[in-house]
Amino acid sequence: MALFWASTAILLGFIRYSTIRMMDRETRERIDVDYRVLTQTYRHAGIQGLRRIVEERSGDRAVAGALYLLVDTYGRPLAGNLAFWPDDSGVEEGWIRLAIQMPGVSGYIHHQATARIARLPNHHRLLVGRDIQDRLVFQELITRSLLLSVVIVGVLSLIGGVIISQRMLRRVDELARTANTIIQGDLGTRLPVQGIGDEFDRVAQNVNRMLDQIERLTSGMRTVIDSVAHDLRGPLTRIRGHIELALAGPADAVAYRQALDTALAESERLHRTVDALLHIAQAESGTLGMEMEPIDLAVVARDVLDLYQPFAEDKALRIEHDIAQISKSGDHWIRGNRQLLAQGLANLIDNAIKYTPEGGRIGLRVSFSGGETRLEVWDSGPGIPEADRARVLERFVRLDSSRTAPGSGLGLSLVAAVAKLHGASLTLGDNAPGLCVVLAFEGATRTEG
Amino acid sequence: MRILLIEDDKQAAAYLVKGLDEAGFNVEHASDGRDGLFLATSEPFDLVIVDRMLPGLDGLAIIQALRAQGHKTPILILSALAQVDDRVRGLRAGGDDYLTKPYSFAELMARIEALLRRGQAQAVVTTLEVAGLHMDLVGRTVARDGRRIELQPREFRLLEHLMRHAGQVVTRTMLLEAVWDYHFDPQTNVIDVHMSRLRQKIDKGSDRPLLHTVRGAGYTLREDP
């Protein structure tokens, strides 16, 4: 505020200074022109010529405000419109300021004037000047109005500043109040956005986006905890049961061994469930700092297919795929996390193989069209009823809670999470018969690397 | 063989010390990062097992400090963080292997063994030989007692890994890492299917099987069961 005021003052001061300077220069230039004409006349026509022209110029047709005086050796006026030589100047040659008396409405009034004086060779002296009283009046006017402006600007900026800072305080208070509500645990609240796009709105929008993300993370976390509790209770109960039974029975090494074997198998299952849940949670929350790199989806598909091929063959499944051609084309690069993509695809193929009866068929295709890279996995199994397809993609939803195949129910959830992490769309379709899962990665780059 | 275990979880540490001791290792235990780094820099060890999250000094910081000082001791990282990137970070910091908690003791032993062997100077070889099983790494051919065995590329890679670690236990996850370079745990034991095919090819019709299943752990390639 003070800065604004100071700069305004400096600006106005500069305007005053340069205006005065300009006017001053103009006056001096006019005097100079007169002066040169008169001195030249003196050189050509001598003192008489000069006297004539001075009389001419200071006569009735004189330029308003023009002052002339030619005096002899003793200071007696020879010609001009000034009554006497301004003795007080003390200057022999050059510029002087002088006060003159002019006839006013009532008596004489004092005017200020600027003049240039010269000594002529025979001790005559010449004065050429201009009345600058008008200019001085104007100058004072400028000074006064500029000073007034400075004062007005100062007052206005003070008032404006108070208003603006009060408005800012109000908005800051508002933000702080909302933030307090959020801190007290209401994660659903959002900072108010005025919709005028100012700095506060931008901050509020960013904070709101951050809150969205935090809410997503915490709700994801809550779901994970619920699911973990649910998925771990079963195996834990079984482990506990077997141990209790073994301890209650007779001290028999074989029975103990059996109980331990069961406990080990169950704990392995627990381990897998925990791993799967953590991976889903990780992909779900889009963990910050997750390494994403250019990945050839066709290569990942080839790897995973290679891993599962014998498993499928053991079930006498026919595998339909065009991996051999596509991996050569190099057209299926996306930005992604190789491990998670492979795991997601492994889950899809795992499911396809598991749910397809012996002698059926499964398929895998990677294609690029319409700006997206598509990864399709299909099977000739029972498929998923259309009504359940959306639900099965929700986090941790099991279609049938009695299915106890390892990791079942989590497989598709992980795929959904991986898809979300990669900004890919996941659709479940009907393969008539069977399930067809399509992952479409947007903004895929064609050849890269 | 001396192993330094840097682990703050007392129960886990006691269990590891006991297990490793029974397996014939000489184990030193440090229960926080600072002590661990001090021990690792002041005494010679054949292997360092370090927990990822430690009081005092983080596991990764210890590894970086050791590597910065020029220690080449193999380092195995134990971590409760199952995140994909955490593994990458651990290995990048200078760790040699990474094992996620909970792990089976068999898996840990297999990895310790592999790391200790790796420490020994490994000359560049063009052929591998295990009890009459011959692998030509240049010509990509395998023969057993002079009889040629046709293998698919991935079967060749699996067998190569087993032969390079002949006599050691190789777990399923180690195979998945070595042959496919993936670190997840497949929901189905797909590795078993691969191994049974490989076994069919190399042990078929032989009264001296070479490829053995180690119960609860994985596989091993050796002459005696």
Side-chain angles (χ1 to χ4, degrees):
Chain A
M1 206 89 69
L3 196 71
F4 172 70
W5 182 81
S7 55
T8 309
I10 289 171
L11 179 70
L12 294 179
F14 177 74
I15 288 175
R16 176 183 174 273
Y17 168 76
S18 50
T19 311
I20 290 170
R21 241 182 85 102
M22 194 197 76
M23 289 171 66
D24 206 38
R25 203 185 309 132
E26 200 189 328
T27 311
R28 283 176 180 241
E29 268 167 17
R30 286 210 186 123
I31 293 172
D32 264 345
V33 170
D34 261 2
Y35 179 84
R36 270 200 299 279
V37 169
L38 294 184
T39 46
Q40 260 172 21
T41 308
Y42 174 74
R43 269 202 294 281
H44 294 142
I47 189 71
Q48 291 312 318
L50 177 61
R51 193 174 169 172
R52 232 182 357 265
I53 196 162
V54 167
E55 267 169 3
E56 211 172 274
R57 293 208 165 190
S58 51
D60 292 341
R61 290 186 294 134
V63 181
L67 304 171
Y68 304 97
L69 183 63
L70 180 65
V71 295
D72 64 11
T73 324
Y74 310 104
R76 284 177 304 214
L78 298 176
N81 48 11
L82 281 182
F84 52 87
W85 189 262
D87 278 331
D88 53 326
S89 69
V91 177
E92 299 281 303
E93 192 113 47
W95 291 96
I96 56 161
R97 279 294 276 275
L98 65 158
I100 52 171
Q101 288 193 323
M102 295 293 282
V105 185
S106 53
Y108 286 95
I109 50 169
H110 284 284
H111 275 194
Q112 290 290 317
T114 296
R116 187 170 178 184
I117 52 177
R119 288 182 80 82
L120 301 177
N122 53 355
H123 300 299
H124 284 75
R125 282 177 290 172
L126 175 67
L127 178 150
V128 180
R130 281 288 188 281
D131 183 343
I132 55 167
Q133 190 62 32
D134 288 352
R135 210 199 77 192
L136 288 177
V137 170
F138 181 63
Q139 190 177 316
E140 205 182 310
L141 201 72
I142 286 187
T143 309
R144 233 184 271 157
S145 55
L146 289 186
L147 271 176
L148 192 68
S149 317
V150 168
V151 170
I152 289 173
V153 165
V155 170
L156 281 184
S157 59
L158 204 67
I159 294 172
V162 168
I163 290 174
I164 289 173
S165 62
Q166 265 185 351
R167 235 190 79 199
M168 286 214 285
L169 271 180
R170 231 185 5 254
R171 295 206 61 182
V172 168
D173 276 350
E174 214 175 350
L175 294 185
R177 251 199 320 278
T178 320
N180 256 328
T181 319
I182 295 166
I183 290 167
Q184 264 142 39
D186 185 3
L187 257 184
T189 313
R190 291 294 175 267
L191 297 182
V193 175
Q194 306 263 308
I196 46 178
D198 64 355
E199 295 85 345
F200 284 99
D201 270 6
R202 285 213 296 277
V203 169
Q205 275 162 354
N206 277 329
V207 171
N208 284 347
R209 267 209 297 283
M210 186 178 82
L211 288 170
D212 287 345
Q213 174 78 356
I214 291 174
E215 201 182 8
R216 215 166 25 242
L217 287 173
T218 40
S219 80
M221 200 70 85
R222 220 169 285 147
T223 325
V224 169
I225 292 169
D226 290 352
S227 319
V228 167
H230 180 275
D231 279 320
L232 301 190
R233 200 166 280 144
L236 279 175
T237 313
R238 286 193 289 275
I239 291 175
R240 197 192 161 117
H242 281 292
I243 293 175
E244 280 178 354
L245 269 179
L247 287 176
D252 171 23
V254 178
Y256 284 170
R257 224 193 150 75
Q258 243 168 14
L260 284 175
D261 268 349
T262 322
L264 187 64
E266 289 289 353
S267 72
E268 235 161 64
R269 180 180 290 183
L270 276 175
H271 183 182
R272 281 194 180 169
T273 310
V274 169
D275 264 5
L277 288 170
L278 284 176
H279 278 137
I280 292 169
Q282 186 193 7
E284 264 284 324
S285 58
T287 308
L288 301 166
M290 169 77 71
E291 290 202 15
M292 303 289 254
E293 50 184 357
I295 303 223
D296 189 344
L297 211 52
V299 171
V300 174
R302 191 192 59 204
D303 287 351
V304 177
L305 190 69
D306 182 57
L307 187 60
Y308 277 89
Q309 201 165 8
F311 184 40
E313 285 166 0
D314 274 8
K315 261 188 98 174
L317 300 178
R318 190 152 51 86
I319 307 172
E320 307 163 340
H321 70 88
D322 50 0
I323 296 298
Q325 297 125 263
I326 57 174
S327 50
K328 269 186 232 131
S329 66
D331 267 359
H332 310 92
W333 288 84
I334 61 161
R335 274 197 83 72
N337 185 293
R338 182 170 166 271
Q339 297 293 337
L340 282 175
L341 281 172
Q343 195 172 358
L345 180 57
N347 282 10
L348 284 179
I349 294 181
D350 200 82
N351 275 349
I353 295 173
K354 268 184 201 151
Y355 293 120
T356 306
E358 285 203 16
R361 60 196 171 80
I362 62 164
L364 172 65
R365 183 189 302 132
V366 180
S367 60
F368 179 84
S369 69
E372 50 180 34
T373 300
R374 287 159 68 89
L375 178 65
E376 291 165 77
V377 176
W378 64 90
D379 62 61
S380 63
I384 295 175
E386 196 168 351
D388 288 330
R389 277 180 208 151
R391 211 160 61 81
V392 81
L393 289 182
E394 279 172 31
R395 277 170 294 193
F396 309 115
V397 167
R398 278 152 292 258
L399 270 189
D400 176 4
S401 54
S402 68
R403 285 205 307 210
T404 49
S408 78
L410 294 177
L412 269 180
S413 304
L414 178 82
V415 177
V418 170
K420 192 174 151 202
L421 181 72
H422 287 81
S425 72
L426 172 63
T427 35
L428 304 184
D430 197 346
N431 195 37
L435 180 67
C436 176
V437 183
V438 182
L439 272 166
F441 297 84
E442 267 181 58
T445 46
R446 280 184 77 84
T447 49
E448 192 176 326
Chain B
M1 289 287 193
R2 293 194 75 205
I3 294 182
L4 172 62
L5 172 68
I6 310 174
E7 162 72 271
D8 61 313
D9 181 338
K10 284 198 179 66
Q11 286 201 18
Y15 153 74
L16 278 180
V17 169
K18 182 166 176 279
L20 291 172
D21 193 56
E22 278 169 9
F25 291 107
N26 183 356
V27 189
E28 284 283 333
H29 171 230
S31 54
D32 72 50
R34 245 170 270 284
D35 289 357
L37 183 59
F38 175 74
L39 273 175
T41 49
S42 53
E43 291 177 35
F45 288 98
D46 298 296
L47 178 79
V48 178
I49 302 174
V50 61
D51 186 47
R52 171 76 176 71
M53 313 251 254
L54 286 169
L57 199 59
D58 179 53
L60 286 190
I62 294 178
I63 297 170
Q64 277 159 348
L66 282 175
R67 291 298 184 236
Q69 290 175 30
H71 286 268
K72 295 201 171 62
T73 318
I75 299 176
L76 173 65
I77 306 168
L78 296 180
S79 174
L81 302 171
Q83 304 192 342
V84 179
D85 279 4
D86 201 60
R87 176 193 176 84
V88 177
R89 248 169 256 141
L91 298 186
R92 203 175 280 159
D96 295 284
D97 203 353
Y98 186 100
L99 199 53
T100 311
K101 292 180 185 176
Y103 48 84
S104 72
F105 193 72
E107 180 85 38
L108 177 70
M109 283 305 299
R111 283 172 191 265
I112 287 175
E113 214 175 317
L115 282 177
L116 288 174
R117 297 279 176 94
R118 194 163 77 185
Q120 298 160 2
Q122 211 173 54
V124 179
V125 291
T126 53
T127 58
L128 296 169
E129 183 90 40
V130 178
L133 185 63
H134 181 88
M135 174 176 271
D136 179 352
L137 292 168
V138 181
R140 314 294 290 173
T141 56
V142 177
R144 181 156 185 201
D145 302 326
R147 180 179 55 88
R148 178 86 179 263
I149 301 173
E150 295 299 330
L151 292 180
Q152 290 189 354
R154 64 161 175 272
E155 290 167 343
F156 188 92
R157 289 202 304 275
L158 279 168
L159 184 59
E160 181 188 338
H161 190 80
L162 287 163
M163 287 180 81
R164 283 186 187 276
H165 297 86
Q168 303 172 36
V169 175
V170 179
T171 66
R172 294 174 181 87
T173 42
M174 283 164 85
L175 285 171
L176 186 64
E177 283 171 22
V179 176
W180 284 273
D181 190 24
Y182 287 116
H183 310 295
F184 58 87
D185 189 5
Q187 305 201 349
T188 313
N189 276 333
V190 280
I191 299 294
D192 291 345
V193 186
H194 287 277
M195 295 308 281
S196 78
R197 294 195 167 197
L198 185 60
R199 173 179 284 140
Q200 274 236 326
K201 289 191 177 174
I202 64 168
D203 282 341
K204 193 174 64 179
S206 169
D207 51 353
R208 290 187 299 122
L210 291 177
L211 187 54
H212 305 278
T213 306
V214 181
R215 197 158 169 268
Y219 297 90
T220 182
L221 190 79
R222 63 170 173 242
E223 205 164 358
D224 315 309

